[in-house]
């Protein structure tokens, strides 16, 4: 289910000079904000939770997920270079699983690690806040990567749709419409973080059993369906 050659090509595409520069912007900004907040407000659990929840989990993780998830396959489909990969003796579900693995690794690297560093800067992991939000970033990275990889497989406008989901559905509707939060990867990941952090520090509108089911379900279904869509792509010689 994992092909090293496909992985190497995907890493090269995601970590190219221009895309890597974009990936670095948000983590650097998060750490800079953490340093500034700590300098002016000192170590405060509430402030730390607000910064990590409001910027890291609500903004940084989904945006990096969009870049990594759609970038793992979308550009290849758009420019037609995917046909060279499909011509190789590699099963198409293997291609999807490999690209998902790379997208998850990149998303985790550029979101979970800076989240942990920012948490340590903000309050030294008081109340397990840094660890809790890091775990939230890790589990969210998996679901976001699968979801946005699927978008990259089915649509040429995957980045636009991904941004609409991340910034409009989760950030806007998720904050205004209580029912919309149930269908939010952000809330699912916060449910996991809620069990790790000190009591009352982190809250989620979704219970842990349901959040776990939805995280696993979305990841599995999105990965499976992306494999099916890629399987449906036919090369000229196959028709």
């Amino acid at each position: 289910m994992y092909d090293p050659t496909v992985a190497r090509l995907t890493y090269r595409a995601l970590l190219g000079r221009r895309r890597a520069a974009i990936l670095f912007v948000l983590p650097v900004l998060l750490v800079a904000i953490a340093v500034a907040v700590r300098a002016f407000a000192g170590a405060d659990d509430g402030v730390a939770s607000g910064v990590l929840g409001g910027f890291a989990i609500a903004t940084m993780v989904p945006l990096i997920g969009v870049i990594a998830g759609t970038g793992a396959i979308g550009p290849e489909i758009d420019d037609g270079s995917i046909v060279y990969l499909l011509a190789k003796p590699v099963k198409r579900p293997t291609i999807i699983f490999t690209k998902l693995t790379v997208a998850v690794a990149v998303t985790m690297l550029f979101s979970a690690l800076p989240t942990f560093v920012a948490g340590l800067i903000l309050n030294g992991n008081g109340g397990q806040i840094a660890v809790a939000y890091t775990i939230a970033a890790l589990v969210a990275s998996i679901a976001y990567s699968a979801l946005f990889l699927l978008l990259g497989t089915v649509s040429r406008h995957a980045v636009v749709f991904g941004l609409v989901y991340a910034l409009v559905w989760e950030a806007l509707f998720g904050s205004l419409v209580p029912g919309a939060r149930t269908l939010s990867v952000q809330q699912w990941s916060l449910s996991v973080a809620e069990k790790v952090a000190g009591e009352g520090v982190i809250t989620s509108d979704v219970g842990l059993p349901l959040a776990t089911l939805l995280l696993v379900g979305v990841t599995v279904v999105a990965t499976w369906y992306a494999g099916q869509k890629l399987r449906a792509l036919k090369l000229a010689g196959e028709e």
Side-chain angles (χ1 to χ4, degrees):
M1 291 298 292
Y2 181 85
D3 187 274
T5 301
V6 175
R8 184 173 65 254
L9 293 173
T10 307
Y11 275 119
R12 185 179 301 172
L14 287 179
L15 300 178
R17 183 176 301 176
R18 184 174 63 180
R19 187 168 278 111
I22 297 174
L23 287 170
F24 270 109
V25 170
L26 289 172
V28 170
L29 180 58
L30 172 63
V31 173
I33 290 174
V35 171
V37 169
R38 179 60 185 266
F40 287 104
D44 183 279
D45 290 355
V47 172
S49 183
V51 172
L52 295 179
F55 184 80
I57 302 301
T59 303
M60 183 183 72
V61 180
L63 289 182
I64 291 177
V66 169
I67 296 171
T70 61
I73 196 169
E76 291 176 300
I77 294 178
D78 290 344
D79 62 21
S81 62
I82 190 70
V83 298
Y84 299 103
L85 185 58
L86 297 181
K88 302 296 182 181
V90 181
K91 295 181 179 180
R92 297 182 185 186
T94 298
I95 295 175
I96 289 295
F97 183 79
T98 302
K99 287 183 172 294
L100 174 62
T101 301
V102 173
V104 168
V106 170
T107 305
M108 286 181 173
L109 175 64
F110 285 93
S111 62
L113 181 58
T115 296
F116 182 67
V117 172
L120 292 180
I121 294 172
L122 285 165
N123 75 334
N125 195 37
Q128 292 293 305
I129 289 177
V131 171
Y133 278 109
T134 299
I135 292 175
L138 289 172
V139 298
S141 294
I142 299 173
Y144 280 130
S145 296
L147 184 61
F148 296 137
L149 179 67
L150 171 61
L151 286 178
T153 306
V154 302
S155 174
R156 291 181 178 272
H157 306 289
V159 174
V160 175
F161 290 134
L163 291 175
V164 168
Y165 174 79
L167 300 179
V168 177
W169 178 264
E170 291 209 341
L172 181 59
F173 283 95
S175 62
L176 299 176
V177 184
R181 298 170 189 166
T182 305
L183 300 177
S184 167
V185 175
Q186 175 189 339
Q187 289 298 319
W188 306 342
S189 64
L190 287 177
S191 179
V192 179
E194 184 180 8
K195 299 302 179 181
V196 179
E199 185 176 355
V201 177
I202 301 173
T203 59
S204 172
D205 292 332
V206 183
L208 182 59
L210 178 58
T212 303
L213 179 64
L214 290 171
L215 283 167
V216 174
V218 164
T219 301
V220 172
V221 171
T223 304
W224 171 82
Y225 192 60
Q228 296 304 305
K229 294 299 292 184
L230 191 63
R231 192 193 300 272
L233 287 177
K234 293 185 178 296
L235 303 178
E238 295 176 337
E239 298 177 346

